[in-house]
């Protein structure tokens, strides 16, 4: 049985800041050697060359080592950074750590559990194709087992980080006589995220194994719990499965839902309810009573260029990429619900939730 989880959200005061993590450890809230995953937002451009992710990654790992965690173990901790805090979104990190068994009151109720796995190496020619889908699906199953989750219905959030295509990896594939899905490195972010999401959906039985031709084409194929991010910092799929398991104990629980479109605030409220927080029919931020730890969302501009029948210009804008515009819009909707701009909103949601919308996961403190 895995250990119970303590989870805390902390602000990031500058791009290389991890002082709030240090404070949690100094105050005894978390143990450095028990941190199992970190998921956060950094303030870069969110693109291929967003090196704020690497800077933040280094800062958080250095604090863990400084506070006593073994360097070789810290190196393997999954730390997933989503770049880009457009609009009101505030840089922050959500930190997951196990709790010593002697500090946990046992309970048969389902409580938060986290499992982690790394896939096999993803070759450039795998990205967006069956090779990626299969390797990701295998890693999700391993992470789920490590979380002590036996029922796929108890998986509410799967956060991944995968490689995208760069000029050097494209050249590597060509040198071996292989082809790649796209040579547009920014578009490869959508390709990587979409292929990964389909792998999650396959692992959890949400869909059957798709064909390569379905990737980024058939948007009826999606996962309701996938949150996929990609970057230049790794060559495998980093998979964090978050769900609920019997017997682990602890104070926290997770739930999920989907936003049907960029304005669907009810989808966020539904995820919070699914996590176990009782809310009135027409909830208000004040009903959360500081019980919401964080929400995690993916968003996507609808391919028809409309929201609720009204035309927008995001897909036609040559000055500001739609990635940044939809992220800012959904970040505003999310912060209006939670009352906290430190919310995890990530873009490029191909095959993650319904087309034009996206999945929502919420973690609450049940006390």
């Amino acid at each position: 049985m895995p250990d119970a989880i303590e989870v805390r959200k902390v602000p990031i005061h500058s791009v290389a800041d991890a002082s709030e993590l240090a404070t949690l450890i100094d105050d005894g809230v978390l143990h450095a050697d028990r941190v199992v995953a970190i998921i956060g937002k950094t303030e870069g451009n969110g693109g291929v060359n967003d090196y704020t992710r690497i800077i933040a990654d280094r800062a958080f790992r250095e604090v863990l080592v400084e506070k006593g965690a073994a360097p070789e173990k810290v190196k393997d901790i999954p730390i997933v950074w989503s770049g880009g805090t457009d609009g009101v979104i505030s840089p922050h990190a959500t930190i997951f750590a196990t709790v010593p068994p002697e500090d946990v009151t046992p309970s048969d109720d389902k409580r938060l559990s986290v499992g982690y796995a790394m896939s096999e190496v993803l070759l450039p020619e795998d990205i967006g194709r069956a090779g990626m889908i299969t390797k990701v699906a295998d890693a999700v199953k391993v992470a789920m087992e490590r979380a002590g989750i036996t029922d796929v219905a108890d998986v509410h959030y799967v956060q991944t980080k995968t490689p995208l295509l760069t000029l050097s990896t494209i050249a590597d594939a060509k040198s071996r006589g292989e082809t790649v899905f796209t040579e547009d490195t920014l578009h490869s972010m959508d390709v990587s995220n979409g292929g990964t999401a389909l792998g999650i959906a396959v692992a959890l039985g949400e869909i059957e194994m798709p064909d390569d031709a379905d990737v980024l084409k058939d948007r009826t194929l999606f996962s309701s719990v996938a949150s996929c991010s990609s970057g230049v910092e790794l060559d495998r799929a980093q998979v964090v499965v978050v769900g609920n398991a019997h017997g682990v104990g602890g104070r926290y629980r997770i739930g999920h839902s989907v936003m049907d479109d960029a304005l669907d605030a009810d989808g966020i409220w539904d995820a919070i309810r699914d996590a176990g927080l009782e809310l009135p029919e027409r909830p208000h931020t004040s009903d959360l009573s500081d019980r919401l730890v964080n929400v995690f969302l993916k968003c996507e501009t609808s391919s028809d260029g409309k929201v609720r029948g009204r035309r927008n210009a995001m897909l036609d804008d040559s000055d500001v990429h739609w990635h940044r515009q939809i992220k800012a819009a959904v970040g505003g909707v999310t912060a209006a619900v939670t009352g906290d701009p430190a919310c995890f909103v990530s873009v490029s949601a191909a095959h993650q939730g319904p087309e034009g919308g996206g999945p929502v996961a919420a973690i609450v403190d049940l006390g």
Side-chain angles (χ1 to χ4, degrees), residues 17-293:
D17 172 61
S19 61
E20 298 288 351
L21 169 61
T23 298
L24 286 176
I25 296 169
D26 290 341
D27 290 347
V29 177
L30 304 176
H31 298 268
D33 60 353
R34 283 185 165 271
V35 172
V36 294
I38 298 172
I39 299 170
K41 293 291 300 182
T42 65
E43 60 204 78
N45 60 26
V48 176
N49 64 333
D50 183 353
Y51 299 108
T52 65
R53 296 181 296 230
I54 297 174
I55 295 170
D57 189 272
R58 177 177 295 177
F60 274 71
R61 292 186 197 275
E62 286 176 351
V63 164
L64 291 174
V65 172
E66 177 187 324
K67 297 298 180 181
E72 62 274 14
K73 291 185 178 180
V74 170
K75 181 180 64 175
D76 293 332
I77 293 172
I79 301 183
V80 180
W81 297 108
S82 170
T85 51
D86 303 270
V88 300
I89 300 171
S90 184
H92 69 280
T94 303
I95 304 156
F96 299 83
T98 59
V99 180
E102 61 272 18
D103 295 339
V104 179
T105 302
S107 171
D108 288 331
D109 294 333
K110 292 181 181 179
R111 289 294 184 266
L112 186 72
S113 188
V114 176
Y116 163 67
M118 290 288 281
S119 77
E120 295 180 30
V121 171
L122 290 167
L123 301 172
E125 58 267 29
D126 289 334
I127 295 174
R129 294 171 173 164
M132 169 178 250
I133 294 169
T134 301
K135 290 176 181 179
V136 168
D138 290 343
V140 169
K141 293 174 183 177
V142 172
M144 186 174 159
E145 182 179 357
R146 290 174 177 172
I149 299 173
T150 56
D151 186 347
V152 294
D154 289 325
V155 176
H156 294 277
Y157 178 43
V158 182
Q159 178 65 59
T160 62
K161 190 76 176 185
T162 51
L164 44 70
L165 292 167
T166 65
L167 292 180
S168 62
T169 59
I170 292 169
D172 170 64
K174 289 182 175 181
S175 72
R176 293 181 285 102
E178 301 289 346
T179 63
V180 292
F181 190 104
T182 179
E183 294 190 22
D184 181 335
T185 56
L186 182 57
H187 180 54
S188 77
M189 179 183 296
D190 299 325
V191 175
S192 182
N193 291 357
T196 302
L198 290 173
I200 294 168
V202 168
L204 300 180
E206 295 176 282
I207 63 169
E208 298 296 326
M209 182 69 185
D211 296 326
D212 284 357
D214 293 325
V215 180
L216 298 192
K217 299 296 184 183
D218 187 351
R219 295 303 183 93
T220 66
L221 302 176
F222 64 83
S223 171
S224 295
V225 298
S227 177
C228 306
S229 184
S230 51
V232 297
E233 54 269 54
L234 71 174
D235 63 0
R236 297 185 289 169
Q238 196 176 65
V239 179
V240 181
V241 167
V242 188
N244 299 312
H246 285 291
V248 297
R251 297 162 43 190
Y252 303 96
R253 185 175 160 89
I254 188 170
H256 80 277
S257 185
V258 297
M259 292 179 74
D260 290 326
D261 61 35
L263 300 178
D264 186 16
D266 287 340
I268 303 171
W269 288 116
D270 288 343
I272 297 170
R273 284 192 180 93
D274 191 54
L277 204 60
E278 292 187 10
L279 297 169
E281 183 178 352
R282 293 176 62 87
H284 182 267
T285 302
S286 59
D287 296 314
L288 297 175
S289 302
D290 296 324
R291 303 288 290 279
L292 179 66
V293 178

